[in-house]
Amino acid sequence: MKKLKKLYEIFSSFEKYFLFLVFFLATIFVVINVFGRKIFGFSLNWLEELNRYILVCCTLVGASIAVTDGRHPRMDSVVGIFKGRARLVIETVSMLIFVIFSAFMAYYAFRQFAVMQKLGAMTATLNVPVYVFFVFIPIGFLGMTVRSALKLIMMVKETADEEKTEEGK
């Protein structure tokens, strides 16, 4: 269990630092473009396009991080009705459904990524293959799948440990 938690923390740290770096760069790019437009009378269209792709990347990686904090939309009012063991069962089933959903979405996102690679479409102003940015969609869903699966495993182990503790009393 300790190794699993450590792996989860490493994964979380990597995602958070990556997200910080990318978002920081986007902020710098916006500032450069604003100064360029207001002071020098021109803007860099490729920076605007890059920022759009960066925001998509941040959204998807951020959605993965949101799994840890339990910030994805769910029926809290339904879960809140139950107490004790029933609540644990509802939360476990909810997490299992989310694992299945995010795995399904990751699978189809990887398939769509493969299609984008075959098409060879290029971005309008960056002149970069679209799939370079498209890869963050399956990565985001894969991150959500891994995080939610690890969280599900930890929930099941914690429940089992609680039952062992109660039996020992």
Side-chain angles (χ1 to χ4, degrees):
M1 183 75 157
K2 287 181 184 179
K3 287 182 182 180
L4 194 60
K5 283 186 178 182
K6 186 68 175 170
L7 175 67
Y8 195 81
E9 288 172 11
I10 290 169
F11 191 66
S12 295
S13 294
F14 174 76
E15 278 185 330
K16 287 177 183 178
Y17 284 119
F18 174 78
L19 190 62
F20 170 78
L21 176 68
V22 171
F23 198 75
F24 182 73
L25 287 173
T27 303
I28 289 172
F29 295 155
V30 167
V31 169
I32 288 171
N33 234 7
V34 167
F35 277 117
R37 194 176 306 124
K38 295 294 181 187
I39 295 173
F40 302 112
F42 72 92
S43 68
L44 302 170
N45 292 337
W46 63 272
L47 267 182
E48 289 180 25
E49 184 178 24
L50 180 61
N51 274 335
R52 280 193 300 271
Y53 288 117
I54 286 174
L55 288 176
V56 170
C57 168
C58 288
T59 300
L60 290 160
V61 174
S64 175
I65 291 171
V67 171
T68 299
D69 300 333
R71 297 196 186 253
H72 278 280
R74 64 182 189 158
M75 297 298 291
D76 286 335
S77 59
V78 173
V79 174
I81 293 171
F82 298 96
K83 302 288 182 218
R85 183 152 175 77
R87 183 182 182 125
L88 287 173
V89 169
I90 297 286
E91 286 181 351
T92 303
V93 169
S94 172
M95 187 58 67
L96 179 62
I97 290 169
F98 189 75
V99 168
I100 293 168
F101 170 76
S102 57
F104 180 78
M105 292 302 291
Y107 170 75
Y108 280 102
F110 274 111
R111 284 184 56 184
Q112 186 63 33
F113 172 71
V115 168
M116 295 304 289
Q117 278 184 307
K118 288 178 187 174
L119 289 176
M122 303 295 277
T123 60
T125 58
L126 291 170
N127 205 26
V128 173
V130 172
Y131 70 82
V132 169
F133 300 106
F134 223 84
V135 74
F136 289 102
I137 297 171
I139 287 173
F141 279 111
L142 184 63
M144 284 186 263
T145 304
V146 169
R147 280 179 177 273
S148 54
L150 288 172
K151 195 168 183 176
L152 178 64
I153 291 167
M154 288 188 291
M155 286 170 64
V156 169
K157 286 191 178 219
E158 286 174 7
T159 303
D161 290 345
E162 285 178 11
E163 286 179 3
K164 286 180 186 176
T165 306
E166 288 177 8
E167 288 175 8
K169 288 184 179 179

